[in-house]
Amino acid sequence: MSVLIKPIITEKMTADSELHNRYGFLVDPKANKIQVKEAVEATYGVSVEKVRTMNYGPSRKSRYTKTGVQHGKTSGFKKAIVDVAEGDIIDFYSNL
């Protein structure tokens, strides 16, 4: 099971990583904080101080069309915010 799915690279997370050494990842919904910590440390070679996780449920939408009411939903996901030790950095753009 791969715990880390992809890093979150948004304007808000980039500012957070520059100011507070926090990085965001989309993770497997079944992974716990200890597994996320071990995966980040093994993948990026940094020491993790703190992990915060958030579960986002699917958002359901319906629309009215000629053929009737169409129902749909987005997939739910789990997000992890990782605090790394002072002096450690994660460079997402190093292998482009």
Side-chain angles (χ1 to χ4, degrees), residues 21-70:
N21 264 3
R22 291 185 195 136
Y23 298 92
F25 295 95
L26 286 181
V27 296
D28 184 47
K30 296 178 182 174
N32 58 24
K33 292 182 182 186
I34 298 167
Q35 292 171 335
V36 171
K37 178 180 178 178
E38 291 170 353
V40 170
E41 287 176 346
T43 305
Y44 295 104
V46 296
S47 58
V48 175
E49 291 180 346
K50 189 175 181 180
V51 177
R52 291 182 296 249
T53 59
M54 295 164 266
N55 271 317
Y56 286 91
S59 62
R60 291 169 173 82
K61 295 180 180 180
S62 61
R63 64 175 180 239
Y64 302 97
T65 62
K66 285 191 285 188
T67 59
V69 179
Q70 301 289 323

Side-chain angles (χ1 to χ4, degrees), residues 4-27:
L4 299 177
I5 296 173
K6 66 179 181 178
I8 300 172
I9 302 174
T10 59
E11 193 171 339
K12 186 175 182 178
M13 281 310 308
T14 304
D16 218 16
S17 67
E18 291 171 355
L19 297 175
H20 303 292
N21 264 3
R22 291 185 195 136
Y23 298 92
F25 295 95
L26 286 181
V27 296

